[in-house]
Amino acid sequence: MNILESIKSSVANQGDGVFLRAEFARFGSPAQVGRALRQLTSEGTLVRLGLDVYAKAKPSVLSGQPIPAA
């Protein structure tokens, strides 16, 4: 399993919530984790809330854009 799949699986197994980048450090180097988080953000799986803070995403009813799923 690659880093992207590992992070995606970890996010899916946890309830709706907020994730810190440090929680994913065990999956690979900082550069690899950053690339995986950027890809998940562009796919709409995660939403970046701030510096190193992410949340699960869901599509907005109004615009269809990803918003935090809380």
Side-chain angles (χ1 to χ4, degrees):
M1 186 179 312
N2 65 26
I3 294 169
L4 178 64
E5 293 170 357
S6 298
I7 292 175
K8 192 180 285 192
S9 174
S10 176
V11 168
N13 290 336
Q14 296 181 14
D16 290 339
V18 176
F19 307 97
L20 299 176
R21 182 185 175 123
E23 295 176 38
F24 304 117
R26 68 180 187 268
F27 295 116
S29 72
Q32 292 171 320
V33 170
R35 280 193 297 270
L37 291 173
R38 274 193 303 278
Q39 184 166 350
L40 290 173
T41 302
S42 68
E43 290 175 0
T45 304
L46 293 176
V47 174
R48 185 172 183 219
L49 300 177
L51 183 64
D52 296 340
V53 181
Y54 297 85
K56 278 188 178 179
K58 67 176 184 175
S60 169
V61 177
L62 298 175
S63 67
Q65 297 296 318
I67 59 171

